[in-house]
Amino acid sequence: NAGVTQTPKFRILKIGQSMTLQCTQDMNHNYMYWYRQDPGMGLKLIYYSVGAGITDKGEVPNGYNVSRSTTEDFPLRLELAAPSQTSVYFCASSPGTAGEQYFGPGTRLTVT
Amino acid sequence: RKEVEQDPGPFNVPEGATVAFNCTYSNSASQSFFWYRQDCRKEPKLLMSVYSSGNEDGRFTAQLNRASQYISLLIRDSKLSDSATYLCVGGDSNYQLIWGAGTKLIIKP
């Protein structure tokens, strides 16, 4: 099993550009999450999903959107990128209990 | 605001030593706690859950003190491969976790 995969690994965006961060899991987990991690800070939850067709905001959703059309995929959309969105983005999935989360390798995004 | 606080370190420890670090949480309603490990420029990985009765997994022991609202992690006979950042995590629902910023551990030969 590949687990949780994310693409791209790295990306540089100009201010105002948009992009989609891809996340796919092959473990048939219902729960999926998007986090951002800034240097010296804890992971911040952006959005989460408890199943296909269901998404909800986390702690820091502004500037982002998500969709969950299938169990496997949970893409994160950045609209009108801003320097404040420079961060490392992690996607995670969970079989049910929030604490047991499996993470993808992350996407390092720089907005200049 | 719900928070989980950790000493950022780094903790510099000689190989073979025992090291312990704590984290404190502010939300008394938190129900579940976990320790994750994160290697440099890698994703977090679950190390162990933390139970009220304490739990042990090999060289690692986790304890929860609800009265004082802190969680501890003890590593015995530390190895070079234990060098990483250890993230303390608390959860008050089935969906969302509150993450500490992590404690950096460096094991020296």
Side-chain angles (χ1 to χ4, degrees):
Chain A
N1 286 348
V4 180
T5 57
Q6 291 184 239
T7 56
K9 286 187 170 53
F10 305 92
R11 183 72 185 269
I12 298 175
L13 278 182
K14 293 189 184 304
I15 294 171
Q17 288 185 321
S18 300
M19 74 166 295
T20 298
L21 282 66
Q22 301 292 344
C23 174
T24 300
Q25 54 95 4
D26 63 359
M27 298 174 282
N28 201 34
H29 289 168
N30 283 325
Y31 299 83
M32 295 189 74
Y33 310 82
W34 272 107
Y35 293 95
R36 59 177 288 171
Q37 186 176 37
D38 299 321
M41 305 289 286
L43 290 166
K44 301 294 184 187
L45 183 65
I46 304 171
Y47 271 95
Y48 66 97
S49 170
V50 301
I54 306 169
T55 62
D56 209 344
K57 296 177 180 179
E59 185 181 359
V60 290
N62 291 344
Y64 308 94
N65 276 299
V66 294
S67 60
R68 184 96 182 271
S69 56
T70 66
T71 298
E72 295 78 20
D73 299 308
F74 190 40
L76 177 72
R77 177 83 178 160
L78 277 72
E79 305 282 2
L80 299 174
S84 60
Q85 293 178 305
T86 294
S87 190
V88 180
Y89 291 84
F90 288 105
C91 178
S93 72
S94 171
T97 304
E100 184 187 357
Q101 296 189 3
Y102 298 83
F103 284 78
T107 294
R108 295 183 179 276
L109 176 68
T110 301
V111 181
T112 62
Chain B
R1 167 165 163 69
K2 308 169 193 175
E3 288 191 349
V4 173
E5 302 287 341
Q6 294 184 254
D7 182 339
F11 283 54
N12 290 285
V13 175
E15 191 176 10
T18 295
V19 59
F21 28 82
N22 296 338
C23 86
T24 59
Y25 61 95
S26 59
N27 184 4
S28 59
S30 294
Q31 296 295 317
S32 52
F33 301 92
F34 309 89
W35 284 103
Y36 276 72
R37 170 195 169 124
Q38 186 173 25
D39 292 303
C40 187
R41 299 178 73 82
K42 298 288 188 181
E43 70 273 22
K45 292 184 179 179
L46 180 64
L47 179 66
M48 59 197 306
S49 303
V50 186
Y51 304 122
S52 296
S53 56
N55 50 306
E56 188 174 312
D57 183 2
R59 298 181 292 108
F60 297 82
T61 300
Q63 296 276 356
L64 167 62
N65 185 318
R66 287 195 182 275
S68 301
Q69 295 187 199
Y70 75 83
I71 305 105
S72 64
L73 179 67
L74 179 80
I75 306 175
R76 289 181 298 278
D77 187 23
S78 53
K79 313 290 185 190
L80 295 175
S81 57
D82 293 334
S83 296
T85 296
Y86 291 83
L87 308 175
C88 178
V89 190
D92 58 4
S93 76
N94 284 329
Y95 309 138
Q96 298 192 38
L97 302 177
I98 306 298
W99 295 75
T103 296
K104 187 171 185 178
L105 176 64
I106 301 171
I107 306 299
K108 297 184 173 181

